[in-house]
Amino acid sequence: MVDNKLCQLLNIKYPIIQGGMAWVATAELAAAVSNAGGLGVIGAGHMPPEALRSEIHKAKSMTDKPYGVNIMLMSPFVREVMQVVVEEKVPVITTGAGNPGEYIPALQAIGTKVIPVVASVALAKRLERIGVDALIAEGMESGGHIGEVTTMALVPQVADAVKIPVIAAGGIGDARGVVAAVALGATGVQIGTRFVASTECTAHVNYKEAVLRAKERSTIVSGSSTGHPVRVIANKLTREFEQMERSGATMEELDQLGAGKLRAAVRDGDIVHGSVMIGQVAGMVTSIQPVAQIIEEIMNDIPKVMMQVKQSLN
Ligand code: TUI
């Protein structure tokens, strides 16, 4: 992959970045992805700063390859967590759920590569101007907090609007998705849901099995009324949430219902009352495999997919 701009930028073998899934993307998963040639990413979510520091130390003890940290910009600890990233000289950060503009100078001063997630062309242009290194264009097929545009429509529009590398995210789970993403103008991909179904993922077995059971219509978008829509598996929690929205619950009441629910699903395995954030691509994830096998399978299938494209379209 010597010719791939993202591999050159991040010093990795394959242009595959792991999604920074809060509670799911632990040091174990991140190290496994980095060791397999991708970019493993620790999901900081709502972690307090010292918890993130120990997760970073753990990842460093498990891999000598480049790795990243995903910073959720709505975290109450965002400032302190950014400070830890700077102190630990984390090689790469990805950001989600907001505009990371104010933190970029301090990160770039120490050589950290900054790769924000964007859900719009406008933010993509603004962040390129500020000097970010690459962008993740994330479509609404993704799990968790999402924007309103699909990957198919967003990636080419972001790719046309900027010169820096664009990483496609949302709905990508195999070699077909990777080839499609590159056809749309992306330089690499971010994969989340498929890595949930990995041996090294430390999520509760109930959460992993929810991915295996899911079909293409198993997820819904919940919480749009709060301004923070999330893609999750429809369950008792989402029905209760809808009920409260219909009965005119306040924002505080809705926030209260959502609090701690991702942790309950991922760590405790409560997939009935918890928030099961996974992408639409779960419908084609059918087995739990070691991370290295997932990545090798995807990379090995690419020539076959490209051949099929060529035969169909020549
Ligand atoms: O961040 C994500 N996915 C996430 S974060 C998360 S934790 C959470 N928990 C409870 C409620 C909400 C979140 C679970 N999944 N993906 C990256 C992402 N970023 N998707 C969409 C965006 C985004 C949206 C708007 C990025 C920027 C943006 O613009 C803000 C602006 O200021 O223009």
Side-chain angles (χ1 to χ4, degrees):
M1 277 292 162
V2 282
D3 284 342
N4 182 282
K5 290 260 176 337
L6 187 68
C7 292
Q8 288 165 358
L9 176 71
L10 303 180
N11 196 22
I12 55 178
K13 190 171 172 199
Y14 302 128
I16 297 177
I17 294 187
Q18 171 233 312
M21 303 164 283
W23 292 109
V24 172
T26 59
E28 287 85 352
L29 181 61
V33 173
S34 288
N35 284 332
L39 185 82
V41 176
I42 297 166
H46 284 177
M47 260 186 214
E50 291 316 309
L52 176 62
R53 196 190 302 279
S54 71
E55 210 59 27
I56 291 170
H57 290 173
K58 196 167 173 186
K60 279 186 188 166
S61 76
M62 298 174 79
T63 185
D64 54 9
K65 300 277 196 315
Y67 68 95
V69 170
N70 174 268
I71 298 177
M72 219 281 280
L73 295 163
M74 294 192 304
S75 162
F77 302 111
V78 59
R79 230 159 257 287
E80 295 94 320
V81 154
M82 285 287 184
Q83 189 55 39
V84 169
V85 163
V86 170
E87 285 163 15
E88 298 293 329
K89 294 192 165 50
V90 171
V92 184
I93 70 148
T94 61
T95 65
N99 182 344
E102 63 180 292
Y103 306 103
I104 290 170
L107 292 162
Q108 292 195 325
I110 57 145
T112 295
K113 301 280 185 273
V114 181
I115 312 183
V117 169
V118 297
S120 69
V121 170
L123 186 58
K125 283 183 175 168
R126 215 177 314 146
L127 291 171
E128 179 182 51
R129 233 177 292 131
I130 298 176
V132 302
D133 298 278
L135 291 165
I136 300 168
E138 193 185 277
M140 51 90 81
E141 296 92 323
S142 303
H145 178 63
I146 53 170
E148 290 172 351
V149 186
T150 61
T151 303
M152 184 80 130
L154 183 65
V155 172
Q157 296 186 66
V158 172
D160 283 347
V162 300
K163 293 196 175 66
I164 52 178
V166 174
I167 297 149
I172 301 165
D174 65 10
R176 292 171 301 180
V178 177
V179 172
V182 173
L184 294 174
T187 306
V189 297
Q190 176 184 272
I191 293 177
T193 300
R194 179 130 189 225
F195 287 131
V196 175
S198 69
T199 318
E200 293 89 342
C201 173
T202 62
H204 195 285
V205 64
N206 293 355
Y207 200 88
K208 294 191 192 185
E209 285 180 354
V211 173
L212 304 187
R213 268 196 311 275
K215 299 189 174 61
E216 85 283 11
R217 299 176 66 225
S218 298
T219 67
I220 58 159
V221 181
S222 178
S224 294
S225 72
T226 66
H228 303 300
V230 291
R231 180 172 301 286
V232 288
I233 290 193
N235 63 5
K236 199 160 184 178
L237 172 67
T238 62
R239 285 189 288 277
E240 212 178 317
F241 202 92
E242 275 166 27
Q243 179 64 46
M244 281 181 68
E245 277 176 322
R246 269 200 302 273
S247 64
T250 64
M251 213 55 90
E252 287 71 33
E253 285 166 331
L254 291 171
D255 276 352
Q256 198 54 42
L257 182 63
K261 294 300 194 289
L262 180 58
R263 183 192 188 286
V266 178
R267 305 310 329 168
D268 306 336
D270 187 353
I271 59 169
V272 176
H273 306 95
S275 184
V276 186
M277 295 183 178
I278 63 168
Q280 289 183 322
V281 83
M284 64 186 201
V285 179
T286 53
S287 67
I288 294 175
Q289 297 169 283
V291 163
Q293 206 179 83
I294 294 173
I295 292 183
E296 290 304 324
E297 193 180 293
I298 292 171
M299 295 311 298
N300 285 338
D301 283 348
I302 286 176
K304 189 182 74 191
V305 175
M306 300 223 307
M307 193 73 79
Q308 282 163 355
V309 170
K310 198 153 181 274
Q311 278 167 358
S312 295
L313 294 178
N314 72 357

